Amino acid sequence: EAADDIATCGNDLLLVAEAIAQSCLMIGDTGEDYREVLSSRAKDFRTLAGLYKTRSRRFDGIVERLVGDIQEDMVSSKNTLTEKV
């Protein structure tokens, strides 16, 4: 669930970056300075969204390994109990 939340945040950041990029297209000649700043911000948001996506995948991997370890421990415990009986 946490990995999904992280991924959702990354997707939201991408939406914000796209909205900023679109607003850059609408700025007239008088806003050239703002366009540069906003373009930089959009790039920053895209980078941050990429980091969120990477963290989400890493978190998923950690959870899968933990679940695998827990299942292996359960199988080992069952085998040990079976051998003792």
Side-chain angles (χ1 to χ4, degrees), residues 67-78:
V67 168
D69 289 345
I70 290 170
Q71 289 175 348
E72 286 177 16
D73 288 344
M74 289 175 60
V75 169
S76 296
S77 296
K78 288 179 184 178

Side-chain angles (χ1 to χ4, degrees), residues 10 13-14 44-57:
L13 287 170
L14 281 177
D44 292 343
F45 276 110
R46 286 186 185 110
T47 301
L48 189 57
L51 291 172
Y52 269 79
K53 188 173 187 174
T54 301
R55 290 296 171 191
S56 174
R57 287 181 181 166

Side-chain angles (χ1 to χ4, degrees), residues 16 25 27:
V16 170
L25 297 175
I27 295 174

Side-chain angles (χ1 to χ4, degrees), residues 19-61:
I20 292 171
Q22 289 296 319
S23 68
C24 287
L25 297 175
M26 294 180 202
I27 295 174
D29 293 337
T30 57
E32 192 63 38
D33 292 337
Y34 295 115
R35 184 182 318 218
E36 188 176 321
V37 170
L38 290 175
S39 294
S40 175
R41 295 293 181 249
K43 181 183 173 195
D44 292 343
F45 276 110
R46 286 186 185 110
T47 301
L48 189 57
L51 291 172
Y52 269 79
K53 188 173 187 174
T54 301
R55 290 296 171 191
S56 174
R57 287 181 181 166
R58 183 174 281 174
F59 193 77
D60 274 338

